[in-house]
Amino acid sequence: MEKISENKSKILVIGATGMIGRFLVSASIKAGHPTFMLVRTNTVATDHDKAKLVEDFKSRGVVVVTGDVHDHGSLVGAFKQVDVVISAVGHKFREQLADQIKIIRAIKEAGNVKRFLPSEFGSDVEHVELVEPAASVLHTKTELRQVIREEGIPHTFVCSNCFQGFFLPRFGQPEAEHPPTDKVIILGDGNPQAIFVNENDMGAYTIKAVDDPRTLNKTLFISPPANFYSLNQLVSLWEKKIGRTLEKIHVSEEDVLKKIQESSYPLSFQFAIAYSVFVKGELTNRAIDPSIAVEATELYPEIKYVKVEDYLDCIM
Ligand SMILES: NC(=O)c1ccc[n+]([C@@H]2O[C@H](COP(=O)([O-])OP(=O)(O)OC[C@H]3O[C@@H](n4cnc5c(N)ncnc54)[C@H](OP(=O)(O)O)[C@@H]3O)[C@@H](O)[C@H]2O)c1
């Protein structure tokens, strides 16, 4: 079991059984924080894989608290035991992000939470242009930011750009099931750059930030300089690695927009994100205002992040 330091802040993760939340729990354990996870009773009773994940975390010293975002008493009870609350609820069901208003109410009542990190972990939602359905789903994150600021809740908003595990094996194409071997679909002209972040690194940077005064009430960007790639650059790197030239099938901007309209949710959401990132270049076409934002790779240069180049070796 990892060594837990009683001097470090106590961290609770909501959404710890989700795709992203599990990396936050792992990073918190690795950094020696007393770590708590809020778990729904029904989940462990009905989902074998998640029950196993919870058992694994328990064996590594994590305190499992039973609760639900819709159960105010369970939230207040859990929050009173910790210093930091991180939410990683998902966007697959549209209302989940909006329901975080209940977390804010419970934080106000508990009165002891030193830092709240709402479920963000993507783009800077206040400053990206999005099409539907991503626009309205992610607008919920913007509204939540406003409430957090108005309520004076100490916070950090983590913008971790594109997760490697989700975007790289598909080369940005939501419907792809594996890395390309003979043909590759490129959305748009393939020139705008995106930023790819490893999930474990997102966890490590986020956990570093929770006690750091430099990230208090700021947006924390995670933008590893070696991981800026356009789809064209990514494909040519992949071609070098596999020693083969791929047939490139370009999908026009107009056809990507049509695809969004024709798909049902959540695929339409994924295409809308891909449109914003890979066709419009929304992750890299804006300057960051240093008065409200900080860059994780500059604050924590000691973290040796996973480079896209090395990640691709693992999926060959
Ligand atoms: N940048 C990127 O590339 C990227 C990719 C994916 C997601 N994201 C972002 O990352 C965040 C997390 O998304 P995700 O895909 O990891 O979500 P997810 O896999 O859908 O997981 C959602 C988690 O929230 C929990 N949850 C849902 N409703 C709850 C409730 N009422 N009470 C308590 N727990 C509840 C779920 O618990 P159960 O196990 O009980 O259902 C699960 O643990 C989102 O903000 C999303 O937009 C970013």
Side-chain angles (χ1 to χ4, degrees), residues 17-20 40 43 50 68-69 91 119 121 141 161:
T17 49
M19 194 174 85
I20 300 309
R40 299 197 271 190
T43 298
K50 288 188 176 181
D68 195 304
V69 167
H91 58 237
S119 190
F121 309 110
K141 292 187 179 181
N161 295 303

Side-chain angles (χ1 to χ4, degrees), residues 240-258:
K240 264 191 219 133
K241 285 187 185 288
I242 61 171
R244 214 171 310 142
T245 302
L246 300 171
E247 181 191 339
K248 282 104 188 155
I249 303 163
H250 283 270
V251 181
S252 69
E253 178 170 348
E254 203 181 32
D255 283 345
V256 181
L257 288 170
K258 214 187 277 169

Side-chain angles (χ1 to χ4, degrees), residues 1-247:
M1 200 197 291
E2 284 89 344
K3 199 166 173 294
I4 296 172
S5 164
E6 290 310 321
N7 301 326
K8 292 203 170 183
S9 58
K10 298 187 184 75
I11 298 177
L12 172 81
V13 179
I14 302 173
T17 49
M19 194 174 85
I20 300 309
R22 61 189 68 196
F23 291 98
L24 293 160
V25 175
S26 247
S28 175
I29 306 168
K30 278 191 200 143
H33 288 269
T35 305
F36 296 64
M37 59 195 281
L38 186 96
V39 177
R40 299 197 271 190
T41 329
N42 201 33
T43 298
V44 268
T46 57
D47 187 321
H48 175 73
D49 290 345
K50 288 188 176 181
K52 203 163 155 294
L53 181 76
V54 172
E55 278 312 307
D56 177 50
F57 281 141
K58 246 192 204 171
S59 73
R60 294 169 67 191
V62 174
V63 179
V64 176
V65 184
T66 304
D68 195 304
V69 167
H70 302 294
D71 176 352
H72 181 71
S74 73
L75 292 184
V76 176
F79 296 173
K80 283 193 170 156
Q81 301 177 59
V82 300
D83 309 300
V84 173
V85 174
I86 306 178
S87 167
V89 297
H91 58 237
K92 275 182 223 119
F93 302 99
R94 290 160 183 254
E95 65 283 0
Q96 252 180 52
L97 291 171
D99 286 341
Q100 291 179 103
I101 195 78
K102 297 181 180 182
I103 299 176
I104 293 174
R105 280 191 210 121
I107 286 176
K108 291 294 277 183
E109 186 173 329
N112 60 295
V113 173
K114 297 199 189 83
R115 193 83 66 103
F116 174 46
L117 284 68
S119 190
E120 289 260 348
F121 309 110
S123 56
D124 186 9
V125 287
E126 282 169 304
H127 302 109
V128 284
E129 277 182 27
L130 296 159
V131 293
E132 291 297 354
S136 50
V137 174
L138 295 190
H139 184 63
T140 316
K141 292 187 179 181
T142 302
E143 286 175 335
L144 211 79
R145 284 187 183 191
Q146 281 158 4
V147 177
I148 290 167
R149 290 188 187 115
E150 280 161 21
E151 294 289 343
I153 294 172
H155 60 268
T156 303
F157 305 134
V158 177
C159 294
S160 48
N161 295 303
C162 297
F163 285 123
Q164 291 180 351
F166 183 76
F167 284 93
L168 288 182
R170 298 175 172 84
F171 282 68
Q173 220 284 94
E175 284 178 309
E177 283 169 6
H178 47 72
T181 50
D182 51 359
K183 317 172 177 176
V184 62
I185 291 175
I186 296 179
L187 305 181
D189 65 13
N191 288 326
Q193 283 193 315
I195 308 165
F196 299 94
V197 174
N198 187 268
E199 287 83 341
N200 282 309
D201 295 336
M202 171 281 300
Y205 287 119
T206 301
I207 297 302
K208 281 262 186 194
V210 299
D211 286 331
D212 189 339
R214 296 172 297 177
T215 63
L216 179 62
N217 299 337
K218 294 264 165 76
T219 300
L220 178 76
F221 283 92
I222 308 176
S223 320
N227 289 350
F228 284 57
Y229 277 85
S230 69
L231 286 178
N232 289 336
Q233 290 169 325
L234 209 56
V235 168
S236 94
L237 178 61
W238 182 246
E239 286 178 328
K240 264 191 219 133
K241 285 187 185 288
I242 61 171
R244 214 171 310 142
T245 302
L246 300 171
E247 181 191 339

